Amino acid sequence: MRKQLCMLLARYAGQTITKELAVEMLREIFPDRTLEPKAFGTQQYKGYTFEVELLRDILEEIKPLELERYAQDEMGKAGYDFDPDTEDLMEREYAGGLLQSTSRTSEGALVGYMRVYLTRSKDTDTLVCSDAAFYVTPAHRGGFMAVNLWKFTEQCVVAAGAREIYCATKLANNVGSMARRLGYLPTALLYCKVIPNHAQECSEEKEACYG
């Protein structure tokens, strides 16, 4: 990246860097590699439609599901506010490093999604997939819809070139059994420690004291 930037700056040496030129330079260094959703097609399952959708296109629509998912996360339970780095997610998507599949009802309601990151292996330079978020609303769990959404996502990332797929499952929601059903093998044990949100504790203590 540094070499590419130096070569680019050398090529434009002596020119006035206007806004238009700066945009052109950025596009050359960071070309749009967004994964094309239509390339992955759609899949039907018991009244649900699975497809790849760009996060940028459904950012507002997906927020309620994001909040529901986060409320069940360790950080959410510890009282930390949900404050996602949306800009980073958009950049990942633009660079072809983020793929998101969705599940919609026959009426078009968004009821589930699986978001994954795509990176390059430091050992083999092949594409590696790792899960970023997976959520299905409670009313639509059961009936293997979530399993099939996962399978669809896997098909998409393999089509995109992924040769390794990793998923971190939560012990509390028993997603591990779903992973084993899909042929995933346990290769590591991930430990987590959440530092208590003392700011929230202090706020609650003040409310208790002053009513």
Side-chain angles (χ1 to χ4, degrees):
M1 179 60 68
R2 290 183 179 180
K3 181 179 179 182
Q4 185 181 3
L5 178 59
C6 290
M7 292 176 65
L8 185 66
L9 290 174
R11 183 150 29 103
Y12 288 100
Q15 296 188 39
T16 301
I17 305 297
T18 62
K19 179 180 179 181
E20 291 72 22
L21 181 56
V23 170
E24 183 180 335
M25 293 170 69
L26 283 173
R27 284 177 177 169
E28 187 169 339
I29 299 176
F30 305 107
D32 186 353
R33 292 194 173 93
T34 304
L35 297 171
E36 174 53 55
K38 292 182 180 179
F40 302 101
T42 62
Q43 190 174 107
Q44 306 294 321
Y45 178 77
K46 294 185 177 181
Y48 297 100
T49 298
F50 304 148
E51 61 184 323
V52 171
E53 294 190 70
L54 297 180
L55 179 58
R56 69 187 74 157
D57 291 340
I58 60 171
L59 199 55
E60 291 302 317
E61 186 181 12
I62 205 171
K63 275 186 178 179
L65 276 70
E66 295 269 58
L67 289 169
E68 288 179 21
R69 175 188 61 79
Y70 182 72
Q72 301 174 25
D73 189 80
E74 285 78 10
M75 293 293 283
K77 291 177 180 178
Y80 286 91
D81 293 333
F82 183 57
D83 186 22
D85 189 346
T86 304
E87 184 176 341
D88 176 69
L89 293 174
M90 296 297 98
E91 287 295 331
R92 285 175 182 264
E93 186 171 75
Y94 183 82
L98 183 150
L99 181 144
Q100 179 176 263
S101 60
T102 60
S103 175
R104 293 182 179 274
T105 64
S106 56
E107 293 78 27
L110 180 62
V111 296
Y113 69 96
M114 188 170 193
R115 183 182 305 142
V116 299
Y117 295 143
L118 296 169
T119 56
R120 308 298 303 188
S121 169
K122 299 297 186 296
D123 295 324
T124 63
D125 197 34
T126 54
L127 207 59
V128 178
C129 170
S130 56
D131 67 313
F134 185 27
Y135 186 73
V136 172
T137 56
H140 294 271
R141 295 173 187 173
F144 297 104
M145 185 271 271
V147 174
N148 282 275
L149 175 60
W150 190 338
K151 288 173 65 176
F152 173 75
T153 308
E154 180 181 299
Q155 293 168 11
C156 292
V157 299
V158 170
R163 292 297 173 264
E164 294 176 84
I165 306 175
Y166 293 90
C167 63
T169 66
K170 303 287 186 180
L171 297 177
N173 55 25
N174 199 32
V175 176
S177 61
M178 193 186 305
R180 288 188 291 273
R181 179 188 294 273
L182 293 174
Y184 291 79
L185 300 175
T187 58
L189 186 58
L190 179 68
Y191 290 90
C192 173
K193 176 186 284 189
V194 177
I195 309 304
N197 187 352
H198 296 299
Q200 185 193 44
E201 293 176 0
C202 292
S203 176
E204 291 176 350
E205 287 177 2
K206 287 182 179 179
E207 288 182 5
C209 290
Y210 299 106

